[in-house]
Amino acid sequence: MATASAPLQLATASRPLSVGVGGGGGGGLHVGGARGGGAPPARRQRGLAVRSVASDRGVQGSVSPEEEISSVLNSIDSSTIASNIKHHAEFTPVFSPEHFSPLKAYHATAKSVLDTLIMNWNATYDYYDRTNVKQAYYLSMEFLQGRALTNAVGNLELTGQYAEALKQLGHSLEDVATQEPDAALGNGGLGRLASCFLDSLATLNYPAWGYGLRYKHGLFKQIITKDGQEEVAENWLEMGNPWEIVRSDVSYPVKFYGKVVEGTDGRMHWIGGENIKVVAHDVPIPGYRTKTTNNLRLWSTTVPSQDFDLEAFNAGDHASAYEAHLNAEKICHVLYPGDESPEGKVLRLKQQYTLCSASLQDIIARFERRAGDSLSWEDFPSKVAVQMNDTHPTLCIPELMRILIDVKGLSWNEAWSITERTVAYTNHTVLPEALEKWSLDIMQKLLPRHVEIIEKIDGELMNIIISKYGTADTSLLKKKIKEMRILDNIDLPDSIAKLFVKPKEKKESPAKLKDKLLVKSLEPSAVVEEKTVSRVEINKDSEEVEVDSEEVVEAENEDSEDELDPFVKSDPKLPRVVRMANLCVVGGHSVNGVAEIHSEIVKEDVFNSFYEMWPAKFQNKTNGVTPRRWIRFCNPELSTIISKWIGSDDWVLNTDKLAELKKFADDEDLQSEWRAAKKANKMKVVSLIREKTGYIVSPDAMFDVQVKRIHEYKRQLLNILGIVYRYKKMKEMSAKDRIKSFVPRVCIFGGKAFATYIQAKRIVKFITDVAATVNHDPEIGDLLKVVFVPDYNVSVAEALIPASELSQHISTAGMEASGTSNMKFAMNGCILIGTLDGANVEIREEVGDENFFLFGAEAHEIAGLRKERAQGKFVPDPRFEEVKRYVRSGVFGTYNYDDLMGSLEGNEGYGRADYFLVGKDFPSYIECQEKVDKAYRDQKLWTRMSILNTASSSKFNSDRTIHEYAKDIWDIKPVILP
């Protein structure tokens, strides 16, 4: 891969550091002069800078760009870096000068690295501006970055130099790096994937930016107590973030509420309401062995200072004076604020719209600036690709339409054509609750203009459906409209409603009705019902019947009109909603799933009607993870072995080369080195577990790991019930039989349960209760330990994954879109136990059936199994009933687990009937675990399996995924900086 070279040199007063990335309506922010204010000249010459040596390439001969960069960077003297770090410690006044603490050393080191990144950063975007290349913009509510320091120095290939420099200053790079808190900008796989993609985009030299929100507190910090999970505010920004540059000059207005009026210019104007201001915070994303440094732009929210009500403040009404600021700032306080309350729902919708509006305004400003005098909106899709990471950024579609129509003056058809060709959607779930549905009433109040636009898109969609399916088969048409509409439980427009009529039975004319009633009234035995009396009066004198005139009118109307199908009207008992996923499919030019099985489910089930209409829109893009962070940097022991046996470290950029390990899989020397690397990583986790939980575990036991968001479909409950069954069987045996029957295991869990997800929090409580009992049982000792690692994040994953030997990916088949942790585990030589779900299917295909522990029902069986359960035909395995009784016996404490166990029982009902099929898969699961024990006893076999997992993991490199997105969806090309 051709890359630009980027040597380092000392910055002097005549070579000022350049800070910032061009954005918004202006160019890059370039700050003249060196840091240090009035410092003497010697102090002002300490910044590390980067220059291009592209002009030297003509005399470099056959030296590759990668080798050139590596050679130059590795020649940088560690003493120069140490001097630069000292400069920042002294002249970047974040901390008091008394002593050079590890935390101060971290900030100074980060600023030193940032000096290097800034030069590449500016050069990257100056070049993109000059060449006006097509650029991709990745919009995501989550970016789970992990620590930036080790990643940045690793990508710059300066790890050794920085380690030596810090050693000269009395610190170790490892200790300094641990001072960095994980950026609390995500929760799970969605954010981790987005961050892997940014790494690959920069490494592969693709012009791309990420856009997100700068959450002050992230999701939450998880604390594990005797009561289970507790949540406290995340404090990652408390000591500042040295990696970000606040771009006070890049800000945009964002509006909520108000009303829509038509102006004299014929355009719709959104006026009044609540106005906030977004401000950009830029974070550099360096590529590996390349000068390309892309940008992650995060938005914070505030209001202009004039919105502070000084008069109210001076009058003593301090809360009112600051109300506008608080309303604005709380938008970026917390990731996924609880939405049980109406206020929570409004806040979440504000978050999503803020991301979309701010990012699109920024993208459009950049497009206009780059186009200059040759601006043509028709060119927009050829210069801009917007990728919506899940449904959270769906409002990009009506927002882009609004800007193009109301602000830029384009027609509806022009704006729709541009929007559809610009925007694409990645679906990450088949879970109905995750396919977002927003209250139309809330959206109407908060975003009135967008609702108008969505209503029109919905109407246009129904016209397309009618044109495709015709009106002859109204049952089919009704089915398609019901499935595909963007607006759900909303009255059909009159023009479409008239297609759905039921002919009424002909009623008798008023004259005939009158004659019949007269005859009836003359019969002695005639009994007039009460309801008839209210409508018919009998004149006893004339013995004639007077028919109510209103009834005559109604009869005439009924006789002349057919009856509308109830389908055309909304049900007042049900909520009126906007189906965001449907809007994504309609408004974008591409819809992709994230694993082969998931993409098939998307086409055959979730969006089947859309697939029938637009099959070319649907694609698969199997997820991937970056091999830089997830092998090279987090597992240096294994990386060294891989490079040694392959003969180079080319695999870091070309993971296909990992396959070369296969020919050495049975080599005893490689196996010995492989086991030693695993043992070294396990020792690190022993220390981590002791530090975070107080438990002492044996590094000689198998490390069995399940780390992911706590959710019923991910089935941590199946795992812990399997452990309980294992524990019970151990207790029933003699010590000698226990040792003979079971391989020692340390069963490690990690992950957060959403604060309002009661059942998930019960599972966390259950795991910790089992741990408290098992880990203090002297009869069991090191034969079984259970550990829940609190506050699981990227940094914890970077320690656990290299040390893991068995990893559990045991979701109910058909419910996990892909997963990415399974890829990281396989890359690091961990063997998976799992169902045929998500990317497990493809991992098993790559590594071989014999190197994957498979159990459980398959995706195509799930619906039938649930139906069987509802019919009362499910017969639970005796071992499953046994383990539930054991839990209820109180052996794990006094907590009442009836609700948790009850969710696995019954044949129907919310929170019952074992929707996720734990009971169905339990026998298969524990039998598969017996196979795991048998395989682990043969360490030669196990090590071979481990090597083959790493050797077969090439497909799951995010570089491959990004190449596919770039070619098939975004139509962007790599750009090599000069």
Side-chain angles (χ1 to χ4, degrees):
M1 181 190 74
T3 57
S5 47
L8 293 165
Q9 62 185 33
L10 277 176
T12 66
S14 62
R15 188 188 302 275
L17 290 176
S18 176
V19 182
V21 176
L29 172 64
H30 298 282
V31 178
R35 289 185 173 88
R43 290 290 187 186
R44 297 171 67 179
Q45 298 179 7
R46 300 298 181 100
L48 287 172
V50 176
R51 63 177 175 84
S52 170
V53 294
S55 58
D56 298 336
R57 283 218 181 126
V59 296
Q60 291 290 327
S62 60
V63 178
S64 71
E66 290 87 354
E67 291 170 332
E68 182 183 319
I69 293 170
S70 179
S71 172
V72 175
L73 291 176
N74 286 320
S75 69
I76 296 301
D77 183 67
S78 59
S79 297
T80 303
I81 293 176
S83 178
N84 183 247
I85 293 172
K86 287 174 66 178
H87 165 78
H88 281 293
E90 189 170 350
F91 291 101
T92 306
V94 178
F95 297 91
S96 56
E98 281 84 4
H99 63 285
F100 192 53
S101 67
L103 184 59
K104 185 174 181 177
Y106 157 66
H107 277 262
T109 303
K111 288 297 184 184
S112 171
V113 176
L114 191 62
D115 285 347
T116 303
L117 298 183
I118 283 170
M119 302 297 285
N120 286 347
W121 206 7
N122 280 332
T124 301
Y125 281 93
D126 283 347
Y127 190 66
Y128 291 172
D129 271 358
R130 290 199 309 274
T131 55
N132 195 16
V133 293
K134 183 174 185 181
Q135 192 165 325
Y137 299 97
Y138 198 82
L139 273 63
S140 179
M141 288 295 283
E142 297 187 42
F143 287 95
L144 206 54
Q145 293 288 94
R147 290 173 176 152
L149 178 57
T150 49
N151 192 69
V153 297
N155 275 354
L156 290 169
E157 293 197 290
L158 291 172
T159 302
Q161 291 90 321
Y162 269 91
E164 179 59 32
L166 284 166
K167 184 178 180 182
Q168 293 173 23
L169 297 172
H171 293 282
S172 73
L173 176 58
E174 187 175 356
D175 289 342
V176 167
T178 61
Q179 299 298 311
E180 179 179 0
D182 277 34
L185 299 172
N187 175 36
L190 189 77
R192 189 52 246 164
L193 177 76
S195 295
C196 282
F197 280 3
L198 292 186
D199 177 271
S200 286
L201 283 162
T203 296
L204 301 174
N205 301 296
Y206 282 113
W209 275 21
Y211 278 109
L213 296 181
R214 182 180 180 269
Y215 304 107
K216 184 176 182 180
H217 298 300
L219 190 69
F220 56 80
K221 180 170 285 189
Q222 182 192 53
I223 298 174
I224 299 299
T225 70
K226 62 181 178 60
D227 298 316
Q229 172 182 295
E230 294 184 9
E231 305 90 25
V232 297
E234 173 61 64
N235 62 348
W236 76 286
L237 287 173
E238 207 164 68
M239 302 303 291
N241 179 10
W243 300 103
E244 69 181 10
I245 292 178
V246 183
R247 300 296 311 279
S248 299
D249 62 323
V250 181
S251 66
Y252 300 96
V254 176
K255 180 186 290 294
F256 305 109
Y257 304 108
K259 62 181 180 180
V260 181
V261 298
E262 185 172 358
T264 56
D265 56 2
R267 298 184 191 178
M268 306 307 291
H269 295 265
W270 183 14
I271 62 172
E274 175 185 306
N275 296 284
I276 68 165
K277 181 176 79 168
V278 294
V279 178
H281 297 247
D282 287 346
V283 179
I285 307 295
Y288 178 71
R289 289 186 177 176
T290 175
K291 188 177 179 180
T292 298
T293 303
N294 287 336
N295 190 33
L296 171 58
R297 177 158 284 178
L298 304 171
W299 301 108
S300 66
T301 47
T302 185
V303 292
S305 57
Q306 59 262 32
D307 284 5
F308 180 77
D309 191 340
L310 189 59
E311 184 178 346
F313 189 85
N314 287 331
D317 192 356
H318 302 155
S320 292
Y322 204 66
E323 184 177 6
H325 282 81
L326 290 175
N327 282 337
E329 289 171 359
K330 72 182 179 182
I331 292 171
C332 289
H333 272 332
V334 174
L335 168 65
Y336 303 142
D339 60 354
E340 299 297 311
S341 66
E343 294 81 6
K345 289 180 172 64
V346 169
L347 185 56
R348 274 215 199 185
L349 192 56
K350 278 186 171 184
Q351 283 187 336
Q352 294 187 2
Y353 179 62
T354 297
L355 170 64
C356 296
S357 180
S359 303
L360 282 172
Q361 289 183 73
D362 196 43
I363 291 166
I364 287 170
R366 189 172 302 106
F367 168 75
E368 291 177 314
R369 187 187 73 245
R370 289 179 179 178
D373 295 336
S374 59
L375 175 67
S376 169
W377 287 106
E378 184 60 26
D379 294 338
F380 192 77
S382 66
K383 296 297 181 182
V384 171
V386 173
Q387 189 70 34
M388 301 183 297
N389 191 30
D390 216 347
T391 54
H392 307 124
T394 306
L395 288 167
C396 280
I397 293 166
E399 175 67 357
L400 184 53
M401 291 291 290
R402 182 191 71 82
I403 294 172
L404 292 175
I405 295 169
D406 297 353
V407 181
K408 305 303 177 182
L410 275 63
S411 70
W412 175 273
N413 288 340
E414 289 171 330
W416 181 251
S417 174
I418 291 167
T419 298
E420 192 177 27
R421 286 180 289 141
T422 300
V423 175
Y425 162 52
T426 299
N427 172 274
H428 283 279
T429 184
V430 300
L431 295 177
E433 66 267 25
L435 294 170
E436 291 184 298
K437 296 180 181 180
W438 280 106
S439 163
L440 181 67
D441 296 328
I442 289 176
M443 192 178 287
Q444 180 78 59
K445 291 177 185 176
L446 194 68
L447 304 169
R449 178 58 177 143
H450 297 76
V451 169
E452 290 182 351
I453 293 169
I454 291 169
E455 286 174 343
K456 186 164 182 180
I457 297 171
D458 187 55
E460 297 279 346
L461 170 63
M462 285 189 285
N463 287 331
I464 293 171
I465 295 170
I466 291 166
S467 68
K468 177 174 176 62
Y469 293 101
T471 58
D473 187 345
T474 54
S475 295
L476 175 63
L477 188 59
K478 186 194 302 185
K479 177 177 180 290
K480 295 300 179 183
I481 289 177
K482 190 171 183 179
E483 288 176 356
M484 299 172 73
R485 278 196 77 181
I486 296 164
L487 301 176
D488 189 28
N489 196 35
I490 313 293
D491 291 356
L492 287 177
D494 291 341
S495 61
I496 296 174
K498 66 184 182 182
L499 300 174
F500 300 95
V501 292
K502 291 181 178 178
K504 280 191 174 179
E505 293 180 10
K506 288 289 183 182
K507 299 220 173 182
E508 309 236 18
S509 68
K512 288 185 178 179
L513 177 61
K514 185 175 179 180
D515 288 343
K516 280 193 174 182
L517 288 172
L518 177 59
V519 171
K520 200 77 174 170
S521 70
L522 295 175
E523 294 176 1
S525 61
V527 177
V528 183
E529 293 182 6
E530 187 177 346
K531 64 181 180 181
T532 306
V533 172
S534 67
R535 301 287 292 167
V536 180
E537 294 181 5
I538 300 176
N539 187 323
K540 292 184 180 178
D541 294 332
S542 65
E543 294 188 336
E544 290 187 359
V545 177
E546 295 181 2
V547 181
D548 193 317
S549 61
E550 290 183 9
E551 184 169 324
V552 174
V553 172
E554 284 189 13
E556 289 174 344
N557 288 340
E558 289 170 352
D559 194 47
S560 61
E561 291 184 3
D562 289 330
E563 182 183 359
L564 286 173
D565 190 313
F567 161 71
V568 308
K569 294 292 183 182
S570 60
D571 184 342
K573 296 178 183 177
L574 298 175
R576 306 189 310 155
V577 298
V578 182
R579 297 193 283 194
M580 306 302 271
N582 287 22
L583 179 55
C584 285
V585 177
V586 174
H589 66 89
S590 172
V591 180
N592 73 277
V594 291
E596 286 179 1
I597 186 174
H598 170 237
S599 294
E600 289 305 307
I601 292 170
V602 164
K603 291 189 292 187
E604 295 174 5
D605 183 13
V606 183
F607 298 126
N608 179 253
S609 291
F610 289 107
Y611 175 65
E612 287 180 358
M613 182 172 288
W614 298 306
K617 272 193 183 187
F618 289 79
Q619 304 186 33
N620 175 60
K621 294 288 172 279
T622 297
N623 282 342
V625 300
T626 167
R628 270 75 63 186
R629 184 181 288 270
W630 292 110
I631 307 184
R632 177 73 163 199
F633 305 148
C634 77
N635 199 343
E637 292 85 356
L638 187 65
S639 297
T640 301
I641 293 169
I642 293 171
S643 295
K644 171 187 170 183
W645 284 82
I646 288 177
S648 75
D649 61 359
D650 293 348
W651 60 269
V652 182
L653 284 172
N654 180 8
T655 51
D656 287 346
K657 291 185 177 293
L658 290 173
E660 294 180 24
L661 287 171
K662 291 180 182 179
K663 60 189 176 187
F664 305 116
D666 292 306
D667 189 289
E668 291 185 3
D669 290 337
L670 173 58
Q671 288 198 358
S672 177
E673 292 175 22
W674 200 269
R675 283 192 291 270
K678 185 67 74 174
K679 183 68 173 287
N681 287 320
K682 289 171 73 175
M683 292 301 296
K684 294 175 187 176
V685 170
V686 169
S687 299
L688 181 145
I689 289 172
R690 185 169 188 174
E691 173 194 341
K692 289 188 174 289
T693 70
Y695 290 133
I696 299 172
V697 300
S698 169
D700 296 320
M702 178 203 295
F703 278 22
D704 172 353
V705 182
Q706 187 181 18
V707 284
K708 51 187 75 229
R709 179 167 50 97
I710 310 297
H711 196 291
E712 287 172 280
Y713 91 82
K714 293 179 183 288
R715 299 203 294 190
Q716 287 91 351
L717 183 55
L718 175 60
N719 186 351
I720 191 63
L721 286 174
I723 292 168
V724 168
Y725 183 80
R726 188 181 186 90
Y727 176 64
K728 183 176 187 294
K729 294 296 125 181
M730 286 180 177
K731 293 290 286 181
E732 293 168 355
M733 294 179 180
S734 66
K736 184 178 179 180
D737 286 341
R738 270 188 224 120
I739 294 170
K740 183 180 177 182
S741 301
F742 295 101
V743 164
R745 284 205 203 191
V746 178
C747 300
I748 302 170
F749 294 83
K752 295 179 181 179
F754 192 68
T756 58
Y757 190 173
I758 301 302
Q759 196 73 319
K761 294 179 79 169
R762 286 190 184 121
I763 293 169
V764 174
K765 167 68 174 164
F766 183 35
I767 293 169
T768 56
D769 279 354
V770 172
T773 299
V774 171
N775 297 350
H776 294 100
D777 189 330
E779 289 184 354
I780 302 302
D782 285 338
L783 201 56
L784 181 63
K785 297 290 184 185
V786 181
V787 176
F788 192 101
V789 180
D791 205 38
Y792 177 68
N793 57 22
V794 176
S795 295
V796 172
E798 288 178 40
L800 287 180
I801 289 173
S804 62
E805 293 170 287
L806 179 75
S807 180
Q808 308 226 13
H809 303 273
I810 57 177
S811 53
T812 311
M815 303 201 76
E816 182 75 86
S818 166
T820 53
S821 67
N822 45 7
M823 301 171 183
K824 298 163 196 168
F825 282 103
M827 276 186 173
N828 282 274
C830 179
I831 301 158
L832 275 55
I833 179 172
T835 53
L836 284 179
D837 195 27
N840 283 2
V841 176
E842 292 161 81
I843 291 173
R844 183 168 176 261
E845 288 173 355
E846 295 295 316
V847 305
D849 298 0
E850 68 280 9
N851 299 310
F852 184 106
F853 293 104
L854 177 68
F855 76 95
E858 296 185 27
H860 67 272
E861 301 176 287
I862 301 302
L865 291 169
R866 287 182 180 140
K867 184 178 180 181
E868 181 183 275
R869 181 75 181 237
Q871 294 170 345
K873 297 179 181 178
F874 172 67
V875 179
D877 188 274
R879 291 166 291 184
F880 185 57
E881 296 301 288
E882 178 185 353
V883 78
K884 286 190 295 177
R885 285 194 300 272
Y886 193 57
V887 172
R888 284 181 163 134
S889 72
V891 69
F892 300 114
T894 58
Y895 186 85
N896 187 337
Y897 281 108
D898 282 347
D899 286 334
L900 185 59
M901 295 299 104
S903 71
L904 306 174
E905 298 169 341
N907 295 320
E908 58 185 351
Y910 180 76
R912 293 181 64 80
D914 192 12
Y915 184 78
F916 301 99
L917 304 182
V918 172
K920 175 65 180 177
D921 282 350
F922 185 78
S924 175
Y925 177 69
I926 59 175
E927 288 160 13
C928 192
Q929 288 285 14
E930 291 170 3
K931 296 176 184 176
V932 171
D933 274 14
K934 182 179 179 181
Y936 193 77
R937 285 193 178 92
D938 184 344
Q939 279 293 292
K940 182 175 175 60
L941 169 66
W942 189 272
T943 307
R944 183 179 191 277
M945 294 170 71
S946 175
I947 293 168
L948 290 174
N949 265 264
T950 298
S952 305
S953 62
S954 171
K955 177 179 179 179
F956 308 105
N957 175 2
S958 54
D959 294 352
R960 184 267 313 155
T961 315
I962 285 300
H963 276 312
E964 292 179 6
Y965 272 97
K967 176 178 177 289
D968 301 335
I969 298 178
W970 303 331
D971 190 27
I972 61 173
K973 304 287 193 299
V975 175
I976 310 298
L977 273 64

